Amino acid sequence: LEPQCQAAGVTALVSTGIWPGVSALMVAEATRRLGQAERVEMSFYTAGTGGAGPTIVSATFLLLAEPPLVYEAGKEMRAEPWGERRLTDFGPGVGEQFVHLLDEPECYTCQRALGIPNIRSSFGTAPDIWNWLFAAVKLLPADILRNRGLMQAVANFSMPIIWAVDALVGAKNAMRVDAFDAEGRQVTLRLTHSDLEDCVGLGTAAFAMEALQARVAPGVWFPVELEASRRA
C-alpha cells in the first residue's frame, strides 16, 4: 500500500498502541543515546488482564502457538514460546516481575529500521500463577492454540475467576527497554501506567495526533520509522 498512500497523500500508521507502538519509540531513543545498539531486550508486564478481559487472554493463547521471532548476530531465528523465564525490574510501583519470550512485531520492525543485530521481546503477568498457567497451555498442540474461536471461548469461560483476580492485582502496565552497545554501555528506559486500557488509549491517540497534525509524511509507517518525519 505504500505507493497508493503516497500518491493519495494518505498517512497510515501501523501497530500504534503501547506494545507494539510506544515501545518502538523507546527502542529508537535508547539506540539514539548509544549511537548504535548491539543488543536490545524488550520487557513488558501487565497485572492480570489489565482490564482488557478475555481479549488479552485469548491473544496470549494464540501467541503461544507462534515461536517468537528473535534476532541473533543479525540472523532471524525462532525461539521457544514462553521460554527463557527471567526476573526483570520494572521500577517503582511494579518492582521485579517474571517475563517470558513471546512473539512481538517490533523485533522485526526495530531490527529492520535500526539495524540492531540482537533483539528479543518478553512478557509477563501477575499473579505468577498465570505465568505458570500459560506455560502449561503452550504444551497443547499448535493447531488447538491457533483456533481463535476455541481460545476465545476458553477465555470467556474463565472470566469469572479472571475478573476476581483482576480486582486483587489491579491493571498496571509496565515496559522496560535495555539497550547495549558493542562496548557494553547500557541504556535502560522504563514506562509505567496504572491502567493498561488507559495507557493504550493515550498511546494510540498520540500517534493519531501526529498524523492529524500532518507531522508524518504520506505513506505506510511503523512507529520506529517516524523519527525523521517528526523532525521534518
Side-chain angles (χ1 to χ4, degrees), residues 24 27-29 31-32 36-37 40 109-117 224:
V27 173
E29 174 61 19
T31 300
R32 184 193 66 79
Q36 176 60 47
V40 168
T109 60
C110 289
Q111 197 281 333
R112 186 185 71 171
L114 302 174
I116 302 168
V224 71

Side-chain angles (χ1 to χ4, degrees), residues 55 61 87-88 99 124 136 169 181:
T55 302
F61 286 161
L87 203 57
T88 298
V99 296
V169 301
D181 68 8

Side-chain angles (χ1 to χ4, degrees), residues 86-165:
R86 59 184 173 84
L87 203 57
T88 298
D89 185 1
F90 288 97
V94 175
E96 293 187 332
Q97 302 291 339
F98 284 104
V99 296
H100 319 74
L101 284 181
L102 198 65
D103 202 32
E104 211 267 353
E106 284 173 349
C107 284
Y108 170 76
T109 60
C110 289
Q111 197 281 333
R112 186 185 71 171
L114 302 174
I116 302 168
N118 305 279
I119 185 168
R120 58 188 55 215
S121 175
S122 301
F123 170 72
T125 185
D128 196 37
I129 186 64
W130 290 146
N131 291 320
W132 288 108
L133 173 63
F134 288 135
V137 169
K138 80 168 185 178
L139 299 177
L140 293 172
D143 59 338
I144 292 179
L145 291 172
R146 292 191 180 103
N147 187 322
R148 292 177 177 269
L150 178 59
M151 291 301 99
Q152 188 66 47
V154 171
N156 290 337
F157 177 79
S158 307
M159 283 319 298
I161 188 170
I162 290 174
W163 285 130
V165 172

